[in-house]
C-alpha cells in the first residue's frame, strides 16, 4: 500500500496541465501527504482517475488545512475512494480546498470516508464544483462549502453523518 502510495505521490508531483493519473484496483497509502491537482494554482485540468468507486482507495492521515486531494481549475477526480485515517481526535478533510480557489472541477463516482468532514471548500471565493454519484460517511460535516460567490452542484449523492455524543469533535473548535 505504501509503495503504491509513494509512486502515486511521485506521479502527482510531476503532473502538468491536462495531465491524467490512472490508478489500478489497489490501495494507495500516501501516509501524511496529499495530492495537489492545482500544484498551487500553477496547472489546470489535471485528473485523477481510479478503476472503481470502491476498488481503488487512496488513504491518508494528513490533518488540518490541507485536503487529501486538493482540487484545481478544471480538475477531475473519479472512480475511487478517499479514506482519511487520522487519529480520532484530529481534524481532516478528504477532498476540496483551503484558500485556493478553483473553477469547473468535477468529482464523480467517489466514496469518501473520514472521521471529520467529507467535501470541504473553505476560504476559496469564486470556486465551482460539480459532484456526481458521491457517497460520504463522516463523523462531522459531509459537505462544507463556504466561500463567497461560489457554486456547488450535487447530483445523485448520498451523505451519511454519524455525528453523536461519541463524536471526537463534539465541543471542539476546529
Amino acid at each position: 500500500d505504501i509503495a503504491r502510495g509513494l509512486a502515486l505521490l511521485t506521479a502527482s508531483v510531476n503532473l502538468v496541465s491536462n495531465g491524467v493519473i490512472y490508478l489500478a484496483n489497489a490501495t494507495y497509502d500516501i501516509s501524511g501527504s496529499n495530492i495537489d491537482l492545482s500544484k498551487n494554482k500553477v496547472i489546470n485540468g489535471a485528473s485523477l482517475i481510479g478503476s472503481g468507486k470502491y476498488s481503488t482507495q487512496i488513504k491518508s492521515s494528513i490533518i488540518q488545512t490541507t485536503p487529501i486531494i486538493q482540487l484545481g481549475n478544471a480538475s477531475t477526480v473519479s472512480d475511487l475512494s478517499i479514506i482519511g485515517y487520522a487519529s480520532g481526535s484530529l481534524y481532516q478533510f478528504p477532498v476540496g480546498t483551503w484558500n485556493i480557489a478553483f473553477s469547473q472541477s468535477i468529482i464523480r463516482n467517489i466514496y469518501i470516508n473520514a472521521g471529520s468532514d467529507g467535501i470541504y471548500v473553505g476560504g476559496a471565493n469564486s470556486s465551482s464544483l460539480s459532484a456526481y454519484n458521491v457517497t460520504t460517511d463522516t463523523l462531522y460535516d459531509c459537505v462544507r462549502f463556504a466561500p463567497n460567490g461560489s457554486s456547488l452542484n450535487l447530483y445523485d449523492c448520498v451523505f451519511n453523518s454519524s455525528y453523536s455524543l461519541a463524536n471526537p469533535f463534539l465541543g471542539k473548535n476546529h
Side-chain angles (χ1 to χ4, degrees), residues 45 94-95 106 128:
V95 65
I106 295 171
S128 63

Side-chain angles (χ1 to χ4, degrees), residues 13-34:
V13 168
N14 292 306
L15 265 174
V16 296
S17 286
N18 301 312
V20 180
I21 298 173
Y22 292 99
L23 300 173
N25 292 339
T27 298
Y28 300 81
D29 189 339
I30 58 174
S31 301
S33 297
N34 81 316

Side-chain angles (χ1 to χ4, degrees), residues 30-151:
I30 58 174
S31 301
S33 297
N34 81 316
I35 297 166
D36 184 353
L37 295 178
S38 76
K39 291 180 88 171
N40 202 24
K41 294 185 77 173
V42 172
I43 65 171
N44 295 303
S47 297
L48 185 60
I49 312 295
S51 295
K53 186 174 184 174
Y54 299 102
S55 58
T56 300
Q57 294 185 355
I58 297 173
K59 299 170 106 177
S60 178
S61 61
I62 197 163
I63 59 171
Q64 295 299 329
T65 58
T66 303
I68 295 172
I69 298 178
Q70 167 70 53
L71 297 173
N73 287 325
S75 61
T76 298
V77 177
S78 69
D79 300 305
L80 53 80
S81 293
I82 306 166
I83 312 295
Y85 67 88
S87 168
S89 63
L90 298 173
Y91 177 70
Q92 69 180 145
F93 50 98
V95 65
T97 189
W98 177 256
N99 284 331
I100 297 177
F102 59 85
S103 64
Q104 301 175 340
S105 289
I106 295 171
I107 55 176
R108 180 186 311 275
N109 198 36
I110 65 172
Y111 172 69
I112 297 169
N113 184 296
S116 54
D117 291 343
I119 300 167
Y120 186 100
V121 178
N125 294 336
S126 301
S127 293
S128 63
L129 174 64
S130 294
Y132 303 87
N133 189 28
V134 173
T135 303
T136 66
D137 286 313
T138 66
L139 292 179
Y140 204 66
D141 297 330
C142 294
V143 177
R144 183 186 187 276
F145 200 83
N148 294 323
S150 297
S151 66

